[in-house]
Amino acid sequence: VSPASSWGKLRTRVQAVETGCLILPLAAWPPIWFSTATVIMWVAVVLTVLTGIDYVISAIKDSRTRS
């Protein structure tokens, strides 16, 4: 089991904010809010990919040290 990295914790926070932004009724809000929510969503996507890569690299390094 890999411990949560600081990148993973950041990703979780960004995803929480992004989810909150996307479930708000933004149609009644100024258009900038929807654009901001969309940008935050893409930041969360990028962080998800990066933390996935980080966890894979960490698992490979860990498996090599155990052998």
Side-chain angles (χ1 to χ4, degrees), residues 58-67:
S58 176
I60 290 170
K61 287 180 182 177
D62 188 44
S63 68
R64 287 183 180 168
T65 58
R66 290 184 183 187
S67 297

Side-chain angles (χ1 to χ4, degrees), residues 1-27:
V1 176
S2 296
S5 69
S6 56
W7 286 107
K9 292 175 183 179
L10 175 64
R11 174 192 46 90
T12 302
R13 288 185 189 108
V14 171
Q15 284 178 334
V17 170
E18 171 253 335
T19 302
C21 288
L22 291 178
I23 64 172
L24 289 172
L26 295 177

Side-chain angles (χ1 to χ4, degrees), residues 22 26 29-39:
L22 291 178
L26 295 177
W29 292 32
I32 189 71
W33 288 107
F34 182 73
S35 298
T36 302
T38 303
V39 168

